[in-house]
Amino acid sequence: MRSAKPLKQLKLSVPAQEAPVSNFLTASGTFQDGDLLLNQKGLRLLSEEKQSQPSETKEFDSEFSLADFETIRVIGKGSGGVVQLVRHKWTGQLYALKAIQMNIQETIRKQIVQELKINQGSQSPYIVVCHHSLYHNGIISLVLEYMDRGSLTDVVKQVKTILEPYLAVVCKQVLQGLVHLHNERRVIHRDIKPSNLLVNQKGEVKITDFGVSAVASSMGQRDTFVGTYNYMAPERINGKSYDYKSDIWSLGMVILECAIGSFPYSRPDQEEGNLSFYELLEAIVDQPAPSAPPDQFSPEFCSFISSCIQKDPQKRLSAVELLSHPFIKKFENQDIDFGILVATLEAPTNFPR
Ligand code: ATP
Ligand code: MG
């Protein structure tokens, strides 16, 4: 629906970053790496084109250009850039437009290119769709599916705790997203946290920010850390090698936090406030793994949490295994609608930081 109020001209901005400017941008403002080309008209893979159409000089047959969007408001701000709610002028369709600065190092660029290629591949209903990627003036803009109820952070802010039946429904969707990433795309998300689990009014929960955004965020964290290590598995925060199972630890931490209404580790001095990085490192690596209090939660829920939050990654279940865990199965045929819960909440209007 169009608002009567005139909309501001779309303006992209990202936090200032001091990273070495790389030399992968061509003079024409095209981001090129091997067979991948990205410019203000969109992204194209030359290898695919060679198979279907041999013309390498073909114009981008993109249906999107930044000029086709009008901005409605800023809906979020992360370490990688700003997220705006935008409307496509011709179709009226709403999208979330995420802008990421691209003056970055070679190694990070390689990862981004890899992820852009993955983004072009198969989609899943449990992953936020990246409709398009555009490059303009040193900024990559991702045209994302708009999730109108914000993130799990926004939901928990309002409801304080989420009851087990709803958690089971949330978990099942996140696990299906993780199965897609781990088993089909063969990627580790690396940044499962409440702000990367987005919700819409239908009660759908989708994973976002793997790939380009995650890489860009971690890049931002290198110099000025603004993200969070809260959900990071012990092997990761400790700098050891890690695999898909590190996402399972993070999922367990997110779900436990949603159930108890606070971050599972508290400060050693029992004072209020966030843990410093070193307190967190000490807690995650040296303290026993957090668990769900059995006097407050069902045995199935407690077992589910302990199947995720195990300090030894090998003892954690995989996403596929967790999908058939008794906690997920228990509520499967009960027609639990997470949409009913989120419908009672206020939609986020301002960016939550
Ligand atoms: P960090 O940068 O530390 O990872 P973050 O995940 O909060 O933190 P962003 O990914 O930039 O940072 O997102 C900022 C906020 O924008 C999110 O918390 C969410 O509220 C909102 N947001 C992001 N993508 C979408 C989307 N596709 N639909 C609706 N809201 C979104
Ligand atoms: Mg995010």
Side-chain angles (χ1 to χ4, degrees):
M1 232 180 289
R2 282 176 181 272
S3 97
K5 218 168 123 196
L7 290 155
K8 276 183 285 170
Q9 197 59 28
L10 183 72
K11 221 170 129 204
L12 293 176
S13 59
V14 290
Q17 277 162 7
E18 286 182 23
V21 179
S22 59
N23 56 4
F24 63 100
L25 299 173
T26 65
S28 60
T30 300
F31 165 103
Q32 179 162 11
D33 188 281
D35 55 2
L36 182 138
L37 283 179
L38 182 66
N39 73 8
Q40 57 177 310
K41 288 184 178 172
L43 178 143
R44 120 182 126 146
L45 273 180
L46 289 173
S47 55
E48 279 176 6
E49 272 178 24
K50 274 179 200 153
Q51 283 162 16
S52 49
Q53 287 168 294
S55 161
E56 279 196 26
T57 52
K58 186 172 76 88
E59 255 303 285
F60 285 72
D61 52 1
S62 155
E63 55 184 290
F64 287 128
S65 139
L66 278 183
D68 295 337
F69 295 99
E70 52 196 3
T71 198
I72 298 174
R73 63 173 183 269
V74 173
I75 48 174
K77 193 174 181 303
S79 42
V82 169
V83 183
Q84 294 177 81
L85 172 61
V86 297
R87 182 186 288 125
H88 190 252
K89 286 177 191 167
W90 320 123
T91 62
Q93 184 69 39
L94 298 177
Y95 296 94
L97 186 84
K98 182 162 179 166
I100 306 164
Q101 185 85 45
M102 284 299 286
N103 53 345
I104 46 166
Q105 283 177 332
E106 172 78 11
T107 47
I108 296 165
R109 172 172 66 82
K110 286 277 175 216
Q111 289 177 57
I112 290 177
V113 167
Q114 194 50 40
E115 299 295 354
L116 279 170
K117 287 179 182 173
I118 292 168
N119 258 338
Q120 289 253 303
S122 64
Q123 294 292 347
S124 151
Y126 307 103
I127 305 287
V128 171
V129 178
C130 177
H131 291 282
H132 221 65
S133 345
L134 303 148
Y135 172 76
H136 188 54
N137 280 350
I139 294 169
I140 280 202
S141 303
L142 304 179
V143 181
L144 302 168
E145 172 183 11
Y146 172 51
M147 298 294 282
D148 55 14
R149 292 284 149 170
S151 73
L152 219 47
T153 309
D154 303 307
V155 174
V156 174
K157 253 187 214 157
Q158 291 192 53
V159 297
K160 307 295 177 230
T161 58
I162 302 179
L163 296 173
E164 282 190 35
Y166 291 119
L167 280 179
V169 173
V170 169
C171 245
K172 186 174 175 188
Q173 298 183 69
V174 179
L175 285 169
Q176 283 167 295
L178 284 180
V179 168
H180 177 80
L181 293 182
H182 293 174
N183 299 24
E184 288 171 41
R185 293 194 183 188
R186 299 268 157 212
V187 293
I188 308 167
H189 186 287
R190 294 186 179 90
D191 201 14
I192 294 288
K193 59 183 177 183
S195 71
N196 283 341
L197 301 176
L198 302 185
V199 180
N200 65 19
Q201 56 178 320
K202 287 188 247 168
E204 294 171 335
V205 181
K206 306 191 184 199
I207 303 177
T208 191
D209 271 8
F210 63 99
V212 184
S213 323
V215 171
S217 295
S218 63
M219 167 197 85
Q221 288 159 19
R222 235 189 16 210
D223 305 323
T224 43
F225 179 72
V226 285
T228 178
Y229 291 104
N230 280 7
Y231 307 91
M232 212 177 255
E235 66 277 12
R236 279 204 69 199
I237 200 162
N238 220 356
K240 295 192 180 147
S241 67
Y242 59 91
D243 65 3
Y244 302 112
K245 294 287 181 73
S246 67
D247 286 344
I248 302 296
W249 168 284
S250 309
L251 171 67
M253 290 291 288
V254 170
I255 298 301
L256 181 57
E257 180 176 324
C258 292
I260 62 178
S262 57
F263 183 57
Y265 291 107
S266 53
R267 284 186 44 176
D269 51 14
Q270 298 301 317
E271 295 217 342
E272 293 281 303
N274 294 338
L275 279 83
S276 71
F277 172 75
Y278 293 102
E279 285 168 340
L280 193 62
L281 178 73
E282 193 274 330
I284 295 175
V285 175
D286 298 334
Q287 282 181 28
S291 55
D295 55 333
Q296 293 170 37
F297 296 97
S298 70
E300 292 90 347
F301 182 75
C302 297
S303 154
F304 183 88
I305 292 298
S306 339
S307 306
C308 300
I309 312 181
Q310 284 287 335
K311 288 172 81 176
D312 177 355
Q314 295 200 343
K315 290 192 184 151
R316 292 173 214 149
L317 296 187
S318 68
V320 171
E321 288 166 332
L322 286 167
L323 270 176
S324 43
H325 188 281
F327 172 62
I328 303 294
K329 292 278 159 204
K330 188 176 170 182
F331 298 103
E332 235 167 20
N333 298 319
Q334 293 193 19
D335 237 2
I336 314 265
D337 187 352
F338 189 53
I340 290 179
L341 175 78
V342 296
T344 64
L345 306 176
E346 275 175 40
T349 44
N350 292 311
F351 66 87
R353 277 170 191 261

